[in-house]
């Protein structure tokens, strides 16, 4: 009985083809998972009324490092929620526009408000659990206002 000489070549080509298709499927799935979810709405209660902002919630250290002023997204605000209280300074290094920062307690109440120009840093001098970063001019915030994620 004579063996077909093309059988090993056909098997090799089939294995390579399946590997390429599998790799392409993996790449498409990875690309799909990298797209961020749509922005959410964050409600801010001020003395002047209730405002809804197009925003994104940042809960991971990677998201904390990518501030509103360096993101390529058309957002009005970015809400950082920290697992523990921190007194870390905030920097607008690399930002393209000024931002308004509202330092929040564990219940979402505004403790302190400051406006930062691009390239500046600010140390609040208090422990905070969250930070609402808003594009300058979008909203006026004061201590005592409340943020509802």
């Amino acid at each position: 009985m004579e063996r077909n000489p093309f059988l090993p070549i056909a098997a090799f080509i089939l294995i390579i083809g399946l590997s390429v298709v599998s790799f392409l499927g993996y790449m498409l799935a990875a690309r799909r998972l990298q797209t961020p979810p749509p922005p959410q709405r964050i409600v801010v209660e001020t003395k002047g009324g209730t405002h809804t902002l197009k925003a994104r919630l940042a809960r991971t250290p990677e998201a904390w490092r990518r501030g509103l002023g360096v993101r390529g997204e058309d957002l009005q605000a970015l809400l950082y929620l920290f697992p523990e209280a921190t007194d870390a300074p905030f920097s607008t290094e690399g930002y393209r526009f000024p931002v308004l920062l509202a330092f929040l307690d564990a219940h979402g109440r505004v403790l302190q408000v400051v406006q930062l120009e691009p390239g500046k840093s600010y140390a609040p001098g208090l422990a905070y659990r969250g930070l609402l970063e808003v594009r300058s001019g979008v909203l006026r915030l004061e201590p005592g206002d409340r943020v509802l994620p």
Side-chain angles (χ1 to χ4, degrees):
M1 179 179 219
E2 196 172 314
R3 219 165 72 169
N4 187 346
F6 295 111
L7 189 59
I9 294 172
F12 179 73
I13 290 173
L14 180 63
I15 289 172
I16 295 298
L18 288 173
S19 298
V20 168
V21 168
S22 174
F23 179 72
L24 289 175
Y26 171 77
M27 294 302 289
L28 286 174
R31 183 176 175 201
R32 180 174 177 236
L33 293 176
Q34 288 177 351
T35 57
Q40 358 181 171
R41 302 285 178 202
I42 293 177
V43 177
V44 180
E45 296 175 345
T46 66
K47 292 172 183 63
T50 302
H51 306 275
T52 303
L53 301 175
K54 178 180 170 185
R56 191 165 301 284
L57 188 60
R59 290 183 183 268
T60 65
E62 295 78 29
W64 298 339
R65 288 186 201 102
R66 290 192 58 227
L68 184 64
V70 296
R71 289 175 179 251
E73 299 177 88
D74 183 31
L75 298 172
Q76 294 174 313
L78 190 64
L79 178 61
Y80 303 88
L81 296 176
F82 302 104
E84 297 177 352
T86 182
D87 62 350
F90 190 88
S91 173
T92 56
E93 193 66 40
Y95 277 39
R96 298 180 313 270
F97 50 82
V99 292
L100 184 70
L101 301 176
F103 297 92
L104 311 173
D105 68 6
H107 304 291
R109 283 189 304 270
V110 176
L111 301 171
Q112 190 177 55
V113 180
V114 66
Q115 179 153 350
L116 281 184
E117 296 296 322
K120 302 292 182 185
S121 292
Y122 180 76
L126 56 88
Y128 58 95
R129 287 290 301 269
L131 178 70
L132 179 65
E133 184 180 358
V134 181
R135 284 180 181 262
S136 186
V138 170
L139 182 65
R140 181 176 164 87
L141 291 168
E142 296 177 4
D145 293 346
R146 189 163 175 179
V147 178
L148 307 170

